Amino acid sequence: MRIPDITIAIDGFSSTGKSSFAKLVARKFGFQYLDSGALYRAVTLFAQERGLISADNAVDPGLRAALDSLEVGFGPDGRTFSGERCIEDEIRSMKVSSQVSPIAAVPYVREWVDACLHRMAAGGRVVMDGRDIGTAVFPDAEIKVFMTASPEVRARRRFDELAAKGGNPVYEEVLANIQQRDYIDSHREASPLRRADDAFGLDNSDMTMEEELAWITGLVQGKFGIL
Ligand code: DC
C-alpha cells in the first residue's frame, strides 16, 4: 500500500505510548519519525551544560542567543545528536527529565523547536509525536491522532518499565507523578496540551500495538480512498 506524502501528528498525555506507536507507524509506512520531546530534552541538556538553568529551574535569558549555536539532529537509527555528538542516553537521564518541563514552558524555546521540526519535516512523509504538534506546530497535518489511556493503565506501564530497568518503584508514586504531569502539560500558558478539533481519538488502554497499527492504517485508507 503506497501512503501519500502526508504529515501525521500524534499528541497526547505522558506515557500513552505515543513514541512506540509513532515509531511503528514510521517503520510500516516508510516515514521519517521526529521525536519533538527529544528536542526539548536536547535544549535542556544544552542549558544545563552551559549553566543556563539553575537548580531551582530559573532559566537564564542568555539561553535565547545561545540557541543559535545548537544543532540537533536524528541519526538513521533515530538516536539524537547535538552536532556530531550522540546525546541519546544523556537526554533520557533523570537529570534532564527533571528540568525539561520548565524549559519546555519557555516561549522562545518552543519557537526554536518548532522551527527545527519544520526544517526537518519539509517534504512530508513524516510522523511526529508530542504535545502540541496537531494544534500549534503542524495545524495542517493531514492526519492527527490524540492518544489517551486511563491514568491507572499508564501508571502500570510506567511502573513495569521502571521495574524492568531494575528500579524499585512504588505504584502510588508513579500514578501521582503521571497525574501531576497531566495537569502541568495541560495547564501551562505556552501551547498547552489539548486535543485538536479535527484529531482522531485513540484510547489504547485495551489495545495491542498490532490493533493500533490496523486502526491507523484503516484511517489513512479511508481518508485517501486507498484500497
Ligand atoms: O515526550 P517526552 O517525555 O520526551 O517530552 C519531554 C518534555 O517535553 C515533556 O515535559 C513535555 C515537553 N514537550 C512539549 O512540551 N511539547 C512537545 N511537542 C513535546 C514535548
Side-chain angles (χ1 to χ4, degrees), residues 136-158:
V137 190
F138 285 92
D140 296 333
E142 287 83 353
I143 298 275
K144 298 180 189 177
V145 176
F146 191 81
M147 287 182 74
T148 54
S150 73
E152 290 74 18
V153 165
R154 291 185 282 136
R156 172 58 55 189
R157 289 178 188 156
R158 186 85 189 108

Side-chain angles (χ1 to χ4, degrees), residues 3-8 29 31 123-127 141-143 220 224:
I3 308 281
D5 297 348
I6 57 170
T7 297
I8 301 177
F29 289 6
F31 275 30
R125 300 193 75 75
V126 285
V127 50
E142 287 83 353
I143 298 275
V220 172
F224 294 97

Side-chain angles (χ1 to χ4, degrees), residues 23-96:
K23 279 181 200 157
L24 181 67
V25 170
R27 210 168 46 242
K28 292 286 180 181
F29 289 6
F31 275 30
Q32 185 190 0
Y33 165 57
L34 295 179
D35 176 351
S36 66
L39 297 177
Y40 286 103
R41 291 171 177 276
V43 173
T44 306
L45 178 68
F46 177 81
Q48 288 174 338
E49 290 183 341
R50 279 160 186 73
L52 296 171
I53 180 164
S54 67
D56 59 356
N57 297 335
V59 180
D60 186 316
L63 177 62
R64 184 177 208 141
L67 282 176
D68 287 346
S69 67
L70 176 61
E71 260 180 49
V72 183
F74 298 110
D77 54 0
R79 287 184 307 158
T80 312
F81 283 76
S82 172
E84 301 284 296
R85 172 182 159 212
C86 178
I87 53 168
E88 185 61 29
D89 291 341
E90 282 144 299
I91 62 166
R92 309 289 168 195
S93 68
M94 272 314 292
K95 184 166 184 234
V96 166

Side-chain angles (χ1 to χ4, degrees), residues 27 85 132 139 144 192 207 219 226:
R27 210 168 46 242
R85 172 182 159 212
D132 63 340
K144 298 180 189 177
M207 284 173 91
L219 208 129
I226 305 167

Side-chain angles (χ1 to χ4, degrees), residues 36-37 40-41 92 100-101 104 110 130-133 185 188:
S36 66
Y40 286 103
R41 291 171 177 276
R92 309 289 168 195
V100 65
S101 290
R110 300 203 72 83
R131 305 292 189 290
D132 63 340
I133 305 299
D185 283 349
R188 69 167 175 237

Side-chain angles (χ1 to χ4, degrees), residues 12-14 101 131 146 154 178-195:
F13 293 99
S14 304
S101 290
R131 305 292 189 290
F146 191 81
R154 291 185 282 136
I178 292 232
Q179 288 167 328
Q180 187 192 19
R181 286 208 287 159
D182 285 356
Y183 185 87
I184 295 174
D185 283 349
S186 41
H187 287 83
R188 69 167 175 237
E189 210 163 299
S191 307
L193 170 65
R194 68 169 183 85
R195 178 178 168 165

